Amino acid sequence: MPIISSPEEFNEDGLYVDLRSIFGHSLALKCEGFNFAGSVKLKAALEMVEAAEQDGRLRPGAFLVESSSGNLGVALSVIAASRGYRFLCVTDSRCNLTTRLLMEALGARVQIITEPDPVGGLLGARVNFIKELCADDDRYVWLNQYTNANAWKAHYRRTAPSIARQFPNLDVLFVGAGTTGTLMGCARWFKQRRPSVRIVAIDPVGSVSFGASPARRMIPGLGMNMRPPLLDPSFVDEVIYIEEADTIRTCHRLARHGFLFGGSTGTVVSGAMSWLAAHDGDDLTAVAIAPDFGERYLDTVYQTNWVADLYGADVVQSDELAADSQLA
């Protein structure tokens, strides 16, 4: 049994769930939430913090600041508490209440932006707030997950090699697209070392990352309202777009089988199953990355009134009836 002295030392990297019994197609779901930050973002957060420490930007007593819709904010809250930094997370109203309370419990401050920038939306407003803050007070250190190459290098060095060791005959890898750190790190590694592996990005409808039209998005984690600076689409073979209603249905279907995953995972699994159904995927070795678990989404994705108000009362009910008919 490992004995650790700081929370970032623990990150279980090798647990997968085979979803064939739930969805009818074999898909190994890599669970990235088994750490004290509860998500895949711990890897990127640790890589960015350690790089800033090494180059001298981050010194004892510094005040970290970052824009995050949730998971990176929690990861930085954990690391800041462990290493003695102060941390301010700049987020917006789409951030789950549970996530905000968790960051505050870890000692972080949370700034909620409510007015969108006319051009950049809520994300643009968050970034503008941080730029003004850093210009006024040089104590603040902005890691900037949107442009920081260490965000993708974390997955180039750890996530992709771990998947490759576990699945030497991998055919296709499904990765959700948010800031695209996870996507780019994994895609670069496989294209350089195992170019036969097909990289499929999963993006929510309404995200403009790959040039699609903008639309309302209410589930945090994936999607962007600007082109991610880290994104190089030449490393991506295909993009699948998923409606948020399908994300909800997939999350609830997983939960009915005992697996409570977050909204990002619901989007990735929905996209992966759609792709596998269209490509006769029974003979393929397929892996998808699950960024986090579902506890932080209890007041949104798994809350009946929230779902009904945004997507209609029959979104989950219709899926339950379809699932019941398949089992009959």
Side-chain angles (χ1 to χ4, degrees):
M1 176 178 293
I3 298 175
I4 64 173
S5 57
S6 60
E8 60 266 35
E9 292 178 36
F10 172 74
N11 195 350
E12 171 56 52
D13 200 42
L15 191 141
Y16 296 76
V17 176
D18 187 351
L19 299 181
R20 178 183 288 275
S21 63
I22 302 175
F23 293 95
H25 293 286
S26 183
L27 177 68
L29 188 61
K30 188 178 193 303
C31 300
E32 287 281 354
F34 289 113
N35 56 62
F36 282 96
S39 83
V40 69
K41 286 292 191 177
L42 181 63
K43 293 177 181 176
L46 187 58
E47 196 88 8
M48 290 190 293
V49 166
E50 291 185 341
E53 290 174 336
Q54 290 167 11
D55 66 21
R57 286 195 305 127
L58 193 54
R59 298 184 177 90
F63 211 137
L64 280 168
V65 60
E66 186 56 82
S67 163
S68 171
S69 61
N71 283 336
L72 183 69
V74 174
L76 286 173
S77 297
V78 168
I79 295 171
S82 172
R83 300 192 175 200
Y85 300 121
R86 291 169 292 177
F87 173 53
L88 169 65
C89 181
V90 182
T91 188
D92 58 59
S93 55
R94 292 172 299 182
C95 180
N96 298 327
L97 174 61
T98 302
T99 300
R100 300 202 301 265
L101 294 175
L102 180 55
M103 288 189 282
E104 291 172 346
L106 289 163
R109 284 174 46 202
V110 179
Q111 177 71 43
I112 301 172
I113 302 298
T114 57
E115 292 297 324
D117 179 80
V119 177
L122 285 169
L123 174 57
R126 281 155 44 181
V127 170
N128 290 340
F129 180 92
I130 292 176
K131 288 180 177 178
E132 292 174 5
L133 185 69
C134 292
D136 291 339
D137 191 335
D138 59 10
R139 294 177 304 164
Y140 286 93
V141 177
W142 182 24
L143 299 174
N144 195 353
Q145 64 163 325
Y146 308 110
T147 63
N148 194 322
N150 293 291
W152 67 259
K153 289 178 181 178
H155 303 287
Y156 185 92
R157 294 167 177 162
R158 293 190 56 184
T159 308
S162 174
I163 294 170
R165 286 191 299 269
Q166 188 74 23
F167 297 90
N169 299 314
L170 182 66
D171 294 303
V172 56
L173 176 65
F174 300 97
V175 189
T179 59
T180 69
T182 307
L183 173 63
M184 283 294 96
C186 291
R188 287 176 187 273
W189 192 95
F190 278 103
K191 289 306 177 186
Q192 291 172 6
R193 290 168 171 78
R194 296 189 184 176
S196 63
V197 175
R198 191 164 186 82
I199 304 297
V200 180
I202 313 296
D203 207 21
V205 170
S207 169
V208 306
S209 297
F210 294 91
S213 299
R216 183 193 73 169
R217 293 180 294 109
M218 299 303 298
I219 300 175
L222 297 184
M224 295 278 282
N225 59 4
M226 67 177 187
R227 183 185 175 91
L230 298 178
L231 176 62
D232 183 343
S234 68
F235 289 96
V236 178
D237 295 298
E238 192 172 347
V239 181
I240 301 292
Y241 291 96
I242 296 299
E243 297 276 1
E244 287 192 332
D246 291 322
T247 293
I248 299 288
R249 293 187 187 100
T250 301
C251 285
H252 282 255
R253 190 166 179 180
L254 285 163
R256 289 200 306 274
H257 290 81
F259 295 107
L260 194 73
F261 283 105
S264 298
T265 299
T267 302
V268 172
V269 171
S270 180
M273 289 304 166
S274 174
W275 190 95
L276 290 169
H279 291 78
D280 193 21
D282 288 344
D283 296 327
L284 297 176
T285 299
V287 170
I289 296 177
D292 61 6
F293 294 113
E295 292 90 342
R296 295 172 195 175
Y297 302 81
L298 294 177
D299 56 345
T300 54
V301 170
Y302 296 102
Q303 212 283 328
T304 302
N305 291 336
W306 188 88
V307 171
D309 288 345
L310 291 174
Y311 308 101
D314 63 340
V315 167
V316 176
Q317 293 173 359
S318 60
D319 184 56
E320 288 175 347
L321 290 173
D324 290 343
S325 66
Q326 291 174 2
L327 293 174

